[in-house]
Amino acid sequence: VLLEDMGLTLQSMMASRFVKPFLDEVRAWEAKLSLIGEVIEVWMLVQRKWMYLESIFIGSDDIRHQLPEEAKRFDRIDTTFLKIMADTYKN
């Protein structure tokens, strides 16, 4: 919601007749906010997909026995993913 509010604020600034001295700066902030929005969208998509995979590989011993190599690979990647998530949360 805050990101959307900032975007609306920048749109209001762009519509102002007084924006000319700040036009480059406002456009730069619009680009930054747009990039942040795209990154958050992708991040949320990755998290949803990870939750799906997690329920398959962590929640089912049967799958782990049927796909042992994939389960080991998932475990390695899961450790990395959880570290990235923890680091992201800290920062």
Side-chain angles (χ1 to χ4, degrees):
V1 175
L2 182 60
L3 187 62
E4 291 172 9
D5 290 345
M6 296 285 195
L8 291 173
T9 300
L10 287 172
Q11 285 178 359
S12 296
M13 288 180 188
M14 288 295 284
S16 171
R17 61 183 178 165
F18 303 109
V19 75
K20 192 167 184 163
F22 310 101
L23 189 57
D24 290 340
E25 191 173 354
V26 172
R27 284 185 178 151
W29 275 107
E30 278 185 324
K32 289 174 188 175
L33 286 180
S34 177
L35 178 60
I36 290 168
E38 290 174 29
V39 168
I40 289 172
E41 267 185 55
V42 171
W43 195 267
M44 297 296 283
L45 179 64
V46 168
Q47 286 180 328
R48 280 193 300 275
K49 288 184 179 189
W50 197 259
M51 287 171 49
Y52 171 75
L53 289 171
E54 202 173 37
S55 68
I56 291 171
F57 284 102
I58 303 230
S60 174
D61 286 335
D62 186 41
I63 295 288
R64 293 183 72 79
H65 291 299
Q66 290 178 24
L67 303 169
E69 291 303 314
E70 289 81 357
K72 287 177 189 175
R73 182 173 180 229
F74 179 83
D75 291 341
R76 286 190 309 272
I77 296 170
D78 186 50
T79 301
T80 303
F81 181 77
L82 292 175
K83 183 183 180 326
I84 290 169
M85 294 301 293
D87 290 347
T88 302
Y89 177 75
K90 288 178 189 175
N91 295 316

